[in-house]
Amino acid sequence: MIRYADDFVMGFSCEEDARRVMDVLPKRFEKYGLTIHPEKTRLVPFERPSGDPHGENSETRTPPGTFDLLGFTHYWARSRKGNWVVKRRTSKSRFRRGLKALSEWCRRNRHRPRKEQHRILSQKLVGHFAYYGITGNSMALGRYRTAATWIWKRWLSRRRRRGNRMTWDRLNRMLKRYPLPPAIAVHSVCRPVAVT
């Protein structure tokens, strides 16, 4: 998946090849007036695990490497057929940062009408799902939506009006009127593509 042209990952089966390319790449980029960011460029051990992850030697085996790129953590896991595949999930730092920003928005706008809050909050969730909604990331999307619901409830409960405490019963009734968008993997390889 390509998100931006200035971020990329190169995979090598041999560490020696990776180190050779790391030495040559800055010189090649320099010819075109480009530079490589020294703090963001690194070698990461990311070899496919061998054997059964639940087998006899699973406790002594070192866990496979992971790396973060463009808000996703890339890691090795088993597919449904039992093969090792690279999967992606929302990185923890981006997940926390997104919820913190959402909480701050709800705090600052808690006195706006609920209809307006719902409209803007839905837009924010749809934007999050549009970026992070990829195959294999559905659990993180669901957790984000659940956390957003908790955050909205928390700040609605803090409105300075008598008898305005937002209970779960009241929130569930409100969510029937103002439902939050579902956590759907927008960029799923499993979803059929519409033919026009």
Side-chain angles (χ1 to χ4, degrees):
M1 174 185 284
I2 298 171
R3 293 282 184 174
Y4 299 100
D6 61 346
D7 295 311
F8 64 94
V9 175
M10 298 174 75
F12 299 90
S13 56
C14 180
E15 183 180 345
E16 186 181 311
D17 292 342
R19 292 196 180 281
R20 216 169 330 149
V21 169
M22 278 288 285
D23 291 339
V24 173
L25 208 56
K27 297 168 189 167
R28 292 277 175 97
F29 274 44
E30 203 174 285
K31 286 183 180 179
Y32 301 98
L34 302 171
T35 57
I36 293 178
H37 197 292
E39 293 173 18
K40 293 182 179 179
T41 307
R42 60 196 169 106
L43 288 175
V44 179
F46 193 70
E47 61 184 275
R48 183 175 61 203
S50 58
D52 182 11
H54 306 293
E56 294 175 18
N57 63 347
S58 61
E59 292 179 16
T60 58
R61 185 174 51 84
T62 56
T66 64
F67 66 92
D68 289 353
L69 179 72
L70 302 175
F72 293 99
T73 297
H74 297 68
Y75 64 101
W76 286 102
R78 291 281 188 174
S79 69
R80 289 184 179 177
K81 293 182 178 179
N83 300 319
W84 285 110
V85 294
V86 177
K87 292 190 174 184
R88 294 166 298 184
R89 64 176 173 255
T90 309
S91 69
K92 291 177 182 177
S93 61
R94 293 291 180 95
F95 191 86
R96 283 192 303 266
R97 188 170 79 183
L99 290 178
K100 186 177 179 183
L102 205 62
S103 182
E104 182 61 25
W105 183 88
C106 287
R107 183 188 70 79
R108 284 197 323 266
N109 297 281
R110 66 184 180 268
H111 296 297
R112 286 189 180 191
R114 287 182 189 165
K115 185 176 183 179
E116 186 180 342
Q117 285 186 42
H118 171 258
R119 181 180 59 79
I120 297 171
L121 190 58
S122 294
Q123 288 174 347
K124 290 179 179 296
L125 287 174
V126 166
H128 181 87
F129 300 154
Y131 186 85
Y132 293 102
I134 61 172
T135 302
N137 200 28
S138 296
M139 284 181 66
L141 299 180
R143 285 197 329 269
Y144 192 86
R145 185 179 185 272
T146 300
T149 306
W150 278 79
I151 289 168
W152 196 22
K153 175 191 178 297
R154 176 181 171 212
W155 289 110
L156 285 174
S157 294
R158 293 184 173 204
R159 295 169 88 156
R160 291 189 187 124
R161 292 182 188 156
R162 187 173 280 185
N164 196 36
R165 189 168 174 275
M166 181 60 69
T167 63
W168 281 107
D169 286 337
R170 284 184 68 188
L171 181 74
N172 288 329
R173 286 196 304 271
M174 188 189 79
L175 288 173
K176 285 181 182 174
R177 185 173 182 187
Y178 301 115
L180 293 176
I184 296 174
V186 179
H187 308 286
S188 175
V189 295
C190 303
R191 296 177 74 185
V193 178
V195 179
T196 58

